[in-house]
Amino acid sequence: MMQLYKDDIPWLALSVRQPWAGAIIYGGKDIENRTLGSIRAGRMKPGRICIHAATGMTQDEYRWGSWRLEKHGVACPLPTDLFRGAIIGHVDVTEIVTDSDSPWFGGKAGLRLKDPIAMAPIPAKGTLGYFEWEQTDSFAPTVPWMSKYESERNQPSLFEDLQLQFSSEPRKPFGS
């Protein structure tokens, strides 16, 4: 795959919804689950790519993602602390897999990831599949449901350092 770079950053990016984009760059997530159809349609191949944190993130996605990250020993930031609509780092896609013993593998296929490098977020618009990204003027704005978590963080508490906890698995926000 021909690599395009702008200022030592790959031009090609893959948009991933939060909190998964952050887990790839900061939390050791070494597989990005996709279908073989989306991998083919998105022209996804091995090579170095940027990780774009998608604009969208629902409260159900955040809650389920927080629960899942907790199971992997990764603390999920508050939703207001997750950049969205931004390039947040880059990573090597080493291969397309249909089976893996990675605890992050959870589908029919995926991209095996290696050597993530975090960077100062750059606002950018995303799209499906691999795409050539361009810088925009702003990040995705905070939406109202996210403020609930922020206001809880700002309340005086004896337990300020506790992470979001779950007594049972939250409802999965997408198909099985």
Side-chain angles (χ1 to χ4, degrees):
M1 170 190 228
M2 187 173 110
Q3 287 294 332
L4 302 173
Y5 288 86
K6 62 170 80 164
D7 298 328
D8 295 327
I9 303 168
W11 284 42
L12 287 179
L14 177 65
S15 196
V16 179
R17 292 175 80 87
Q18 290 284 32
W20 307 115
I24 289 169
I25 299 300
Y26 302 105
K29 186 174 188 279
D30 62 353
I31 297 279
E32 173 54 19
N33 295 293
R34 300 284 164 137
T35 65
L36 281 174
S38 69
I39 290 170
R40 282 187 208 106
R43 300 173 319 280
M44 298 176 203
K45 299 178 182 175
R48 190 118 188 123
I49 61 167
C50 282
I51 295 298
H52 173 267
T55 301
M57 178 177 64
T58 67
Q59 186 170 7
D60 284 345
E61 288 171 328
Y62 176 76
R63 288 185 55 74
W64 192 83
S66 295
W67 172 81
R68 183 68 192 266
L69 293 174
E70 181 181 287
K71 289 182 67 86
H72 291 285
V74 177
C76 186
L78 293 174
T80 52
D81 294 337
L82 290 168
F83 280 95
R84 294 175 302 106
I87 299 295
I88 62 168
H90 45 97
V91 65
D92 280 323
V93 175
T94 60
E95 64 181 317
I96 310 296
V97 297
T98 55
D99 187 36
S100 174
D101 59 0
S102 169
W104 296 101
F105 186 73
K108 300 200 183 274
L111 308 175
R112 185 175 306 282
L113 309 174
K114 185 178 173 187
D115 299 328
I117 296 178
M119 52 187 267
I122 300 171
K125 183 179 175 186
T127 191
L128 296 176
Y130 280 1
F131 63 96
E132 290 186 24
W133 64 274
E134 291 186 24
Q135 186 169 349
T136 59
D137 293 333
S138 60
F139 301 108
T142 299
V143 293
W145 70 263
M146 295 175 181
S147 301
K148 173 180 126 179
Y149 294 89
E150 185 66 26
S151 65
E152 288 175 7
R153 174 170 65 175
N154 292 330
Q155 296 298 317
S157 170
L158 295 173
F159 308 103
E160 289 180 14
D161 294 331
L162 288 179
Q163 296 296 315
L164 185 61
Q165 298 289 312
F166 299 94
S167 57
S168 62
E169 178 179 351
R171 184 176 67 81
K172 198 171 189 179
F174 44 86
S176 300

